[in-house]
Amino acid sequence: MIDRTSEIDILVSEVGPRDGLQSVSTIMPTDAKKAWIAAEAAAGVREIEVGSFVPAKLLPQLADTAEVVAFAKSIPGLTVAVLVPNARGAAAAIMAGADKITLPLSVSETHSLANLRRTHVQVIDEAVEIGRLVRGVPAERRPHFEGSLSTAFGCTLEGAIPDAQIARLAAALMDAGCDEVGLSDTTGYADPAAVKRLIKLVRGVVGDQALTGIHLHNTRGLGLANALAALDTGLTTFDASLGGIGGCPFAPGASGNIVTEDLVFMLEAMGLRTGIDIDRLLEVRRVVTDALPQEEMFGFLPDAKLPLGFAPATVLETA
Ligand code: ZN
């Protein structure tokens, strides 16, 4: 639920350096990643998923994650998030000092086997081990551990996944030691009604406090509509990527994740404080296009610009 005593109303979590870059074939130089992260943090973004601890031979684009985490940790006030596929990756994430660790669990077992070569039981075993590793870290440095229910809105291999299976896996992640679960529309299959229905289903299993975030893609153009549906249910953390980088190869012209710039504009226009300075956020695009000139950047606000007289929800200090 929205907490008006907090500094911000909605946490926009930038996932471009992970989800965006893993979907583009070009490898972004480490210095460009650092410049991107620093510029976005300077624009007011509070949380950035900076990489993934996967074997470099699988995702060479993210082979420098440990170095990028170390750099991001030097930025005051930034929550440094990473994705891990297993306990080995979690150990590396803890060693690097990540603040938040996300383990994806594909609710479609076919997808889980195809992507991670692991059954549900095997992924839950990894979650149990990660829970143990996380609890071994002194409380003041302990990372937040999230289990992400990926392909939650449907799978390209299996189609719709039964509710009972999603509910069972959400409970299993919490039992394994996750601090919370998240919903992830990996395939861009979600619609606003499905978003509301699944949030209600998963909350019924894990409780309202253990489901606060959602990860949406804009594959079929429903990204912001889905975000609005999630907002209506009281979710407060939204993943997005700058320029929607990493567009869907199966849907030319469609961005990957929902576009950070457009999401922040929608939220601020609605009077919800993100803490992000939109003008400065728009300037960050140049850092990405300079490093990856051949990659398409998406979003409406960057071309249309802010409406005349636009007043953001956040009153920003002029430094
Ligand atoms: Zn994604």
Side-chain angles (χ1 to χ4, degrees), residues 267-307:
L267 295 168
E268 292 283 337
M270 293 171 70
L272 295 164
R273 300 168 304 154
T274 63
I276 298 168
D277 180 323
I278 296 177
D279 290 319
R280 291 185 75 177
L281 182 68
L282 290 172
E283 285 167 20
V284 183
R285 286 170 73 96
R286 201 175 310 132
V287 178
V288 180
T289 47
D290 283 353
L292 299 175
Q294 71 285 24
E295 291 302 330
E296 194 177 357
M297 298 280 279
F298 302 90
F300 288 95
L301 183 72
D303 292 330
K305 310 295 179 216
L306 288 169

mmCIF file of all heavy atoms in Angstrom, residues 267-307:
data_model
loop_
_atom_site.group_PDB
_atom_site.id
_atom_site.type_symbol
_atom_site.label_atom_id
_atom_site.label_comp_id
_atom_site.label_asym_id
_atom_site.label_seq_id
_atom_site.Cartn_x
_atom_site.Cartn_y
_atom_site.Cartn_z
ATOM 1 N N LEU A 267 3.316 7.856 -13.653
ATOM 2 C CA LEU A 267 3.192 7.898 -12.188
ATOM 3 C C LEU A 267 3.210 9.334 -11.674
ATOM 4 O O LEU A 267 2.359 9.742 -10.868
ATOM 5 C CB LEU A 267 4.313 7.084 -11.540
ATOM 6 C CG LEU A 267 4.288 5.573 -11.818
ATOM 7 C CD1 LEU A 267 5.598 4.925 -11.363
ATOM 8 C CD2 LEU A 267 3.099 4.906 -11.121
ATOM 9 N N GLU A 268 4.182 10.117 -12.148
ATOM 10 C CA GLU A 268 4.303 11.502 -11.680
ATOM 11 C C GLU A 268 3.081 12.328 -12.091
ATOM 12 O O GLU A 268 2.592 13.160 -11.334
ATOM 13 C CB GLU A 268 5.590 12.136 -12.221
ATOM 14 C CG GLU A 268 6.869 11.531 -11.648
ATOM 15 C CD GLU A 268 7.178 12.001 -10.226
ATOM 16 O OE1 GLU A 268 6.694 13.082 -9.825
ATOM 17 O OE2 GLU A 268 7.914 11.282 -9.518
ATOM 18 N N ALA A 269 2.573 12.069 -13.319
ATOM 19 C CA ALA A 269 1.385 12.789 -13.783
ATOM 20 C C ALA A 269 0.187 12.464 -12.902
ATOM 21 O O ALA A 269 -0.709 13.290 -12.706
ATOM 22 C CB ALA A 269 1.095 12.420 -15.241
ATOM 23 N N MET A 270 0.171 11.239 -12.343
ATOM 24 C CA MET A 270 -0.918 10.824 -11.456
ATOM 25 C C MET A 270 -0.725 11.322 -10.021
ATOM 26 O O MET A 270 -1.535 11.010 -9.147
ATOM 27 C CB MET A 270 -1.016 9.289 -11.444
ATOM 28 C CG MET A 270 -1.465 8.689 -12.765
ATOM 29 S SD MET A 270 -1.308 6.870 -12.758
ATOM 30 C CE MET A 270 -2.628 6.434 -11.607
ATOM 31 N N GLY A 271 0.370 12.045 -9.789
ATOM 32 C CA GLY A 271 0.606 12.576 -8.450
ATOM 33 C C GLY A 271 1.341 11.616 -7.539
ATOM 34 O O GLY A 271 1.390 11.810 -6.327
ATOM 35 N N LEU A 272 1.932 10.579 -8.117
ATOM 36 C CA LEU A 272 2.678 9.596 -7.322
ATOM 37 C C LEU A 272 4.166 9.885 -7.414
ATOM 38 O O LEU A 272 4.736 9.946 -8.505
ATOM 39 C CB LEU A 272 2.364 8.178 -7.822
ATOM 40 C CG LEU A 272 0.902 7.771 -7.620
ATOM 41 C CD1 LEU A 272 0.554 6.553 -8.467
ATOM 42 C CD2 LEU A 272 0.625 7.499 -6.146
ATOM 43 N N ARG A 273 4.783 10.061 -6.269
ATOM 44 C CA ARG A 273 6.190 10.448 -6.240
ATOM 45 C C ARG A 273 7.127 9.264 -6.469
ATOM 46 O O ARG A 273 7.030 8.258 -5.773
ATOM 47 C CB ARG A 273 6.517 11.093 -4.891
ATOM 48 C CG ARG A 273 5.701 12.350 -4.588
ATOM 49 C CD ARG A 273 5.865 12.746 -3.135
ATOM 50 N NE ARG A 273 5.494 11.628 -2.266
ATOM 51 C CZ ARG A 273 5.964 11.443 -1.037
ATOM 52 N NH1 ARG A 273 6.801 12.291 -0.500
ATOM 53 N NH2 ARG A 273 5.574 10.405 -0.325
ATOM 54 N N THR A 274 8.003 9.410 -7.469
ATOM 55 C CA THR A 274 9.000 8.372 -7.743
ATOM 56 C C THR A 274 10.393 8.801 -7.285
ATOM 57 O O THR A 274 11.304 7.984 -7.229
ATOM 58 C CB THR A 274 9.087 8.081 -9.256
ATOM 59 O OG1 THR A 274 9.525 9.283 -9.919
ATOM 60 C CG2 THR A 274 7.728 7.667 -9.823
ATOM 61 N N GLY A 275 10.553 10.086 -7.004
ATOM 62 C CA GLY A 275 11.874 10.611 -6.651
ATOM 63 C C GLY A 275 12.763 10.850 -7.861
ATOM 64 O O GLY A 275 13.916 11.222 -7.723
ATOM 65 N N ILE A 276 12.211 10.603 -9.052
ATOM 66 C CA ILE A 276 13.023 10.681 -10.268
ATOM 67 C C ILE A 276 12.756 11.987 -11.017
ATOM 68 O O ILE A 276 11.606 12.375 -11.214
ATOM 69 C CB ILE A 276 12.727 9.469 -11.184
ATOM 70 C CG1 ILE A 276 13.101 8.159 -10.450
ATOM 71 C CG2 ILE A 276 13.482 9.578 -12.516
ATOM 72 C CD1 ILE A 276 12.607 6.899 -11.123
ATOM 73 N N ASP A 277 13.839 12.653 -11.425
ATOM 74 C CA ASP A 277 13.763 13.882 -12.216
ATOM 75 C C ASP A 277 13.643 13.467 -13.686
ATOM 76 O O ASP A 277 14.587 12.910 -14.264
ATOM 77 C CB ASP A 277 15.036 14.698 -11.966
ATOM 78 C CG ASP A 277 15.054 16.005 -12.744
ATOM 79 O OD1 ASP A 277 14.568 16.033 -13.897
ATOM 80 O OD2 ASP A 277 15.574 16.991 -12.209
ATOM 81 N N ILE A 278 12.493 13.700 -14.296
ATOM 82 C CA ILE A 278 12.231 13.193 -15.650
ATOM 83 C C ILE A 278 13.200 13.775 -16.678
ATOM 84 O O ILE A 278 13.701 13.058 -17.546
ATOM 85 C CB ILE A 278 10.755 13.457 -16.053
ATOM 86 C CG1 ILE A 278 9.818 12.656 -15.130
ATOM 87 C CG2 ILE A 278 10.516 13.077 -17.512
ATOM 88 C CD1 ILE A 278 8.329 12.882 -15.383
ATOM 89 N N ASP A 279 13.486 15.065 -16.590
ATOM 90 C CA ASP A 279 14.415 15.661 -17.560
ATOM 91 C C ASP A 279 15.792 14.993 -17.498
ATOM 92 O O ASP A 279 16.399 14.694 -18.524
ATOM 93 C CB ASP A 279 14.545 17.168 -17.328
ATOM 94 C CG ASP A 279 13.264 17.908 -17.709
ATOM 95 O OD1 ASP A 279 12.674 17.555 -18.747
ATOM 96 O OD2 ASP A 279 12.851 18.820 -16.965
ATOM 97 N N ARG A 280 16.234 14.756 -16.279
ATOM 98 C CA ARG A 280 17.557 14.124 -16.138
ATOM 99 C C ARG A 280 17.516 12.669 -16.594
ATOM 100 O O ARG A 280 18.477 12.159 -17.171
ATOM 101 C CB ARG A 280 18.035 14.209 -14.684
ATOM 102 C CG ARG A 280 18.354 15.634 -14.278
ATOM 103 C CD ARG A 280 18.937 15.717 -12.891
ATOM 104 N NE ARG A 280 20.324 15.263 -12.835
ATOM 105 C CZ ARG A 280 21.070 15.299 -11.732
ATOM 106 N NH1 ARG A 280 20.553 15.744 -10.600
ATOM 107 N NH2 ARG A 280 22.314 14.887 -11.741
ATOM 108 N N LEU A 281 16.383 12.015 -16.352
ATOM 109 C CA LEU A 281 16.222 10.629 -16.803
ATOM 110 C C LEU A 281 16.311 10.549 -18.326
ATOM 111 O O LEU A 281 16.969 9.672 -18.886
ATOM 112 C CB LEU A 281 14.874 10.076 -16.312
ATOM 113 C CG LEU A 281 14.578 8.622 -16.661
ATOM 114 C CD1 LEU A 281 15.511 7.671 -15.899
ATOM 115 C CD2 LEU A 281 13.117 8.271 -16.345
ATOM 116 N N LEU A 282 15.660 11.485 -18.992
ATOM 117 C CA LEU A 282 15.670 11.487 -20.465
ATOM 118 C C LEU A 282 17.094 11.666 -21.012
ATOM 119 O O LEU A 282 17.449 11.107 -22.041
ATOM 120 C CB LEU A 282 14.741 12.582 -21.007
ATOM 121 C CG LEU A 282 13.243 12.325 -20.793
ATOM 122 C CD1 LEU A 282 12.426 13.546 -21.194
ATOM 123 C CD2 LEU A 282 12.766 11.104 -21.581
ATOM 124 N N GLU A 283 17.897 12.421 -20.274
ATOM 125 C CA GLU A 283 19.285 12.644 -20.717
ATOM 126 C C GLU A 283 20.122 11.366 -20.645
ATOM 127 O O GLU A 283 21.110 11.222 -21.361
ATOM 128 C CB GLU A 283 19.945 13.729 -19.867
ATOM 129 C CG GLU A 283 19.468 15.128 -20.217
ATOM 130 C CD GLU A 283 19.883 16.154 -19.161
ATOM 131 O OE1 GLU A 283 20.829 15.875 -18.384
ATOM 132 O OE2 GLU A 283 19.251 17.223 -19.116
ATOM 133 N N VAL A 284 19.702 10.424 -19.784
ATOM 134 C CA VAL A 284 20.483 9.186 -19.632
ATOM 135 C C VAL A 284 20.459 8.354 -20.910
ATOM 136 O O VAL A 284 21.372 7.588 -21.184
ATOM 137 C CB VAL A 284 19.967 8.349 -18.426
ATOM 138 C CG1 VAL A 284 20.817 7.109 -18.214
ATOM 139 C CG2 VAL A 284 19.936 9.186 -17.147
ATOM 140 N N ARG A 285 19.407 8.540 -21.712
ATOM 141 C CA ARG A 285 19.309 7.764 -22.966
ATOM 142 C C ARG A 285 20.560 7.925 -23.826
ATOM 143 O O ARG A 285 20.971 6.993 -24.512
ATOM 144 C CB ARG A 285 18.074 8.206 -23.770
ATOM 145 C CG ARG A 285 16.773 7.704 -23.189
ATOM 146 C CD ARG A 285 15.596 8.367 -23.858
ATOM 147 N NE ARG A 285 15.334 7.915 -25.216
ATOM 148 C CZ ARG A 285 14.446 6.970 -25.541
ATOM 149 N NH1 ARG A 285 13.763 6.348 -24.600
ATOM 150 N NH2 ARG A 285 14.238 6.643 -26.802
ATOM 151 N N ARG A 286 21.145 9.115 -23.784
ATOM 152 C CA ARG A 286 22.314 9.362 -24.621
ATOM 153 C C ARG A 286 23.475 8.436 -24.239
ATOM 154 O O ARG A 286 24.225 7.980 -25.106
ATOM 155 C CB ARG A 286 22.738 10.833 -24.521
ATOM 156 C CG ARG A 286 23.589 11.267 -25.705
ATOM 157 C CD ARG A 286 23.920 12.749 -25.679
ATOM 158 N NE ARG A 286 22.752 13.581 -25.469
ATOM 159 C CZ ARG A 286 22.687 14.572 -24.572
ATOM 160 N NH1 ARG A 286 23.724 14.833 -23.806
ATOM 161 N NH2 ARG A 286 21.604 15.287 -24.449
ATOM 162 N N VAL A 287 23.603 8.161 -22.937
ATOM 163 C CA VAL A 287 24.680 7.274 -22.479
ATOM 164 C C VAL A 287 24.518 5.895 -23.117
ATOM 165 O O VAL A 287 25.490 5.267 -23.547
ATOM 166 C CB VAL A 287 24.642 7.148 -20.929
ATOM 167 C CG1 VAL A 287 25.718 6.183 -20.426
ATOM 168 C CG2 VAL A 287 24.782 8.511 -20.265
ATOM 169 N N VAL A 288 23.272 5.442 -23.204
ATOM 170 C CA VAL A 288 23.011 4.109 -23.750
ATOM 171 C C VAL A 288 23.156 4.102 -25.273
ATOM 172 O O VAL A 288 23.782 3.202 -25.840
ATOM 173 C CB VAL A 288 21.609 3.617 -23.314
ATOM 174 C CG1 VAL A 288 21.325 2.228 -23.884
ATOM 175 C CG2 VAL A 288 21.506 3.601 -21.798
ATOM 176 N N THR A 289 22.623 5.106 -25.938
ATOM 177 C CA THR A 289 22.713 5.111 -27.413
ATOM 178 C C THR A 289 24.164 5.310 -27.880
ATOM 179 O O THR A 289 24.563 4.758 -28.893
ATOM 180 C CB THR A 289 21.825 6.205 -28.050
ATOM 181 O OG1 THR A 289 22.033 7.430 -27.366
ATOM 182 C CG2 THR A 289 20.366 5.856 -27.972
ATOM 183 N N ASP A 290 24.960 6.058 -27.101
ATOM 184 C CA ASP A 290 26.368 6.220 -27.466
ATOM 185 C C ASP A 290 27.098 4.877 -27.422
ATOM 186 O O ASP A 290 27.957 4.598 -28.264
ATOM 187 C CB ASP A 290 27.072 7.211 -26.525
ATOM 188 C CG ASP A 290 26.714 8.666 -26.862
ATOM 189 O OD1 ASP A 290 26.044 8.888 -27.896
ATOM 190 O OD2 ASP A 290 27.094 9.568 -26.086
ATOM 191 N N ALA A 291 26.748 4.064 -26.410
ATOM 192 C CA ALA A 291 27.438 2.775 -26.242
ATOM 193 C C ALA A 291 26.873 1.704 -27.170
ATOM 194 O O ALA A 291 27.598 0.806 -27.595
ATOM 195 C CB ALA A 291 27.345 2.324 -24.786
ATOM 196 N N LEU A 292 25.595 1.777 -27.457
ATOM 197 C CA LEU A 292 24.944 0.761 -28.297
ATOM 198 C C LEU A 292 24.168 1.454 -29.424
ATOM 199 O O LEU A 292 22.937 1.392 -29.473
ATOM 200 C CB LEU A 292 23.970 -0.089 -27.461
ATOM 201 C CG LEU A 292 24.520 -0.904 -26.290
ATOM 202 C CD1 LEU A 292 23.380 -1.578 -25.528
ATOM 203 C CD2 LEU A 292 25.507 -1.972 -26.773
ATOM 204 N N PRO A 293 24.889 2.106 -30.347
ATOM 205 C CA PRO A 293 24.206 2.929 -31.362
ATOM 206 C C PRO A 293 23.277 2.135 -32.277
ATOM 207 O O PRO A 293 22.348 2.700 -32.846
ATOM 208 C CB PRO A 293 25.375 3.543 -32.154
ATOM 209 C CG PRO A 293 26.579 2.742 -31.810
ATOM 210 C CD PRO A 293 26.348 2.141 -30.469
ATOM 211 N N GLN A 294 23.516 0.826 -32.397
ATOM 212 C CA GLN A 294 22.686 0.030 -33.316
ATOM 213 C C GLN A 294 21.421 -0.504 -32.660
ATOM 214 O O GLN A 294 20.570 -1.075 -33.341
ATOM 215 C CB GLN A 294 23.526 -1.120 -33.915
ATOM 216 C CG GLN A 294 23.900 -2.243 -32.956
ATOM 217 C CD GLN A 294 25.021 -1.872 -31.965
ATOM 218 O OE1 GLN A 294 25.261 -0.699 -31.656
ATOM 219 N NE2 GLN A 294 25.685 -2.858 -31.424
ATOM 220 N N GLU A 295 21.291 -0.340 -31.327
ATOM 221 C CA GLU A 295 20.108 -0.867 -30.638
ATOM 222 C C GLU A 295 18.970 0.138 -30.661
ATOM 223 O O GLU A 295 19.168 1.332 -30.420
ATOM 224 C CB GLU A 295 20.427 -1.227 -29.183
ATOM 225 C CG GLU A 295 21.338 -2.432 -29.026
ATOM 226 C CD GLU A 295 20.799 -3.703 -29.673
ATOM 227 O OE1 GLU A 295 19.558 -3.865 -29.738
ATOM 228 O OE2 GLU A 295 21.629 -4.511 -30.126
ATOM 229 N N GLU A 296 17.771 -0.378 -30.918
ATOM 230 C CA GLU A 296 16.595 0.492 -30.943
ATOM 231 C C GLU A 296 16.190 0.875 -29.519
ATOM 232 O O GLU A 296 16.194 0.029 -28.620
ATOM 233 C CB GLU A 296 15.436 -0.244 -31.620
ATOM 234 C CG GLU A 296 14.290 0.669 -31.985
ATOM 235 C CD GLU A 296 13.162 -0.058 -32.727
ATOM 236 O OE1 GLU A 296 13.306 -1.262 -33.013
ATOM 237 O OE2 GLU A 296 12.153 0.592 -33.000
ATOM 238 N N MET A 297 15.877 2.164 -29.336
ATOM 239 C CA MET A 297 15.359 2.624 -28.042
ATOM 240 C C MET A 297 13.878 2.941 -28.240
ATOM 241 O O MET A 297 13.487 3.492 -29.273
ATOM 242 C CB MET A 297 16.079 3.891 -27.579
ATOM 243 C CG MET A 297 17.578 3.744 -27.344
ATOM 244 S SD MET A 297 18.002 2.993 -25.755
ATOM 245 C CE MET A 297 17.865 4.402 -24.661
ATOM 246 N N PHE A 298 13.072 2.594 -27.254
ATOM 247 C CA PHE A 298 11.628 2.779 -27.358
ATOM 248 C C PHE A 298 11.149 3.864 -26.394
ATOM 249 O O PHE A 298 11.925 4.423 -25.624
ATOM 250 C CB PHE A 298 10.917 1.452 -27.045
ATOM 251 C CG PHE A 298 11.336 0.329 -27.944
ATOM 252 C CD1 PHE A 298 12.401 -0.499 -27.613
ATOM 253 C CD2 PHE A 298 10.675 0.108 -29.148
ATOM 254 C CE1 PHE A 298 12.801 -1.536 -28.453
ATOM 255 C CE2 PHE A 298 11.056 -0.930 -29.991
ATOM 256 C CZ PHE A 298 12.127 -1.759 -29.637
ATOM 257 N N GLY A 299 9.854 4.120 -26.406
ATOM 258 C CA GLY A 299 9.258 5.080 -25.490
ATOM 259 C C GLY A 299 8.605 6.223 -26.238
ATOM 260 O O GLY A 299 9.063 6.616 -27.317
ATOM 261 N N PHE A 300 7.523 6.739 -25.675
ATOM 262 C CA PHE A 300 6.794 7.849 -26.297
ATOM 263 C C PHE A 300 7.260 9.203 -25.763
ATOM 264 O O PHE A 300 7.408 10.154 -26.512
ATOM 265 C CB PHE A 300 5.288 7.688 -26.051
ATOM 266 C CG PHE A 300 4.697 6.561 -26.856
ATOM 267 C CD1 PHE A 300 4.539 5.296 -26.318
ATOM 268 C CD2 PHE A 300 4.326 6.780 -28.179
ATOM 269 C CE1 PHE A 300 4.015 4.258 -27.082
ATOM 270 C CE2 PHE A 300 3.799 5.748 -28.951
ATOM 271 C CZ PHE A 300 3.642 4.484 -28.392
ATOM 272 N N LEU A 301 7.464 9.282 -24.444
ATOM 273 C CA LEU A 301 7.815 10.570 -23.839
ATOM 274 C C LEU A 301 9.087 11.190 -24.439
ATOM 275 O O LEU A 301 9.125 12.400 -24.667
ATOM 276 C CB LEU A 301 7.955 10.412 -22.313
ATOM 277 C CG LEU A 301 8.248 11.716 -21.587
ATOM 278 C CD1 LEU A 301 7.011 12.608 -21.578
ATOM 279 C CD2 LEU A 301 8.738 11.457 -20.166
ATOM 280 N N PRO A 302 10.122 10.360 -24.705
ATOM 281 C CA PRO A 302 11.355 10.958 -25.233
ATOM 282 C C PRO A 302 11.124 11.761 -26.512
ATOM 283 O O PRO A 302 11.784 12.776 -26.724
ATOM 284 C CB PRO A 302 12.242 9.734 -25.488
ATOM 285 C CG PRO A 302 11.769 8.726 -24.497
ATOM 286 C CD PRO A 302 10.278 8.914 -24.437
ATOM 287 N N ASP A 303 10.219 11.324 -27.371
ATOM 288 C CA ASP A 303 9.941 12.076 -28.600
ATOM 289 C C ASP A 303 8.913 13.180 -28.374
ATOM 290 O O ASP A 303 9.026 14.279 -28.913
ATOM 291 C CB ASP A 303 9.432 11.122 -29.698
ATOM 292 C CG ASP A 303 10.527 10.177 -30.162
ATOM 293 O OD1 ASP A 303 11.715 10.580 -30.104
ATOM 294 O OD2 ASP A 303 10.213 9.041 -30.545
ATOM 295 N N ALA A 304 7.876 12.869 -27.590
ATOM 296 C CA ALA A 304 6.772 13.819 -27.431
ATOM 297 C C ALA A 304 7.110 14.953 -26.468
ATOM 298 O O ALA A 304 6.511 16.025 -26.543
ATOM 299 C CB ALA A 304 5.526 13.079 -26.942
ATOM 300 N N LYS A 305 8.065 14.694 -25.555
ATOM 301 C CA LYS A 305 8.463 15.651 -24.505
ATOM 302 C C LYS A 305 7.313 15.852 -23.492
ATOM 303 O O LYS A 305 6.164 15.490 -23.741
ATOM 304 C CB LYS A 305 8.875 17.020 -25.070
ATOM 305 C CG LYS A 305 9.897 16.950 -26.201
ATOM 306 C CD LYS A 305 11.242 16.395 -25.739
ATOM 307 C CE LYS A 305 12.207 16.333 -26.939
ATOM 308 N NZ LYS A 305 13.097 15.153 -26.868
ATOM 309 N N LEU A 306 7.672 16.477 -22.377
ATOM 310 C CA LEU A 306 6.669 16.711 -21.325
ATOM 311 C C LEU A 306 5.623 17.727 -21.787
ATOM 312 O O LEU A 306 5.938 18.637 -22.545
ATOM 313 C CB LEU A 306 7.357 17.235 -20.058
ATOM 314 C CG LEU A 306 8.198 16.207 -19.283
ATOM 315 C CD1 LEU A 306 9.039 16.903 -18.221
ATOM 316 C CD2 LEU A 306 7.305 15.147 -18.647
ATOM 317 N N PRO A 307 4.385 17.555 -21.332
ATOM 318 C CA PRO A 307 3.352 18.549 -21.670
ATOM 319 C C PRO A 307 3.739 19.934 -21.133
ATOM 320 O O PRO A 307 4.417 20.031 -20.108
ATOM 321 C CB PRO A 307 2.109 18.035 -20.938
ATOM 322 C CG PRO A 307 2.386 16.610 -20.620
ATOM 323 C CD PRO A 307 3.876 16.483 -20.476
#
